[in-house]
Amino acid sequence: MKLLGLVLLAAAIYAIVMIVQSSAETMAKVLWVVLILIVPLIGLIIWAIMGPGSPLKR
């Protein structure tokens, strides 16, 4: 169970770094980061599908 938590933490950190480095507007970046911090698993899934600089959009 601890490994799953570490994987989720690593994925959240990766997502936040990618959001900050993206060319999206500042308010959009803030909203994405807040979403990931409040609901990490769901926020990561939504970000992967719809977020700025999303790896799935490339």
Side-chain angles (χ1 to χ4, degrees):
M1 200 57 151
K2 290 181 183 181
L3 181 61
L4 181 62
L6 287 174
V7 169
L8 186 60
L9 176 64
I13 291 171
Y14 171 77
I16 291 170
V17 169
M18 296 308 296
I19 291 166
V20 171
Q21 292 178 350
S22 75
S23 61
E25 295 180 15
T26 303
M27 194 58 175
K29 290 180 184 183
V30 170
L31 292 174
W32 279 114
V33 170
V34 168
L35 179 67
I36 289 173
L37 292 176
I38 292 175
V39 283
L41 184 58
I42 296 169
L44 285 169
I45 293 169
I46 294 171
W47 170 76
I49 295 169
M50 300 171 35
S54 168
L56 294 179
K57 284 186 174 180
R58 293 182 191 161

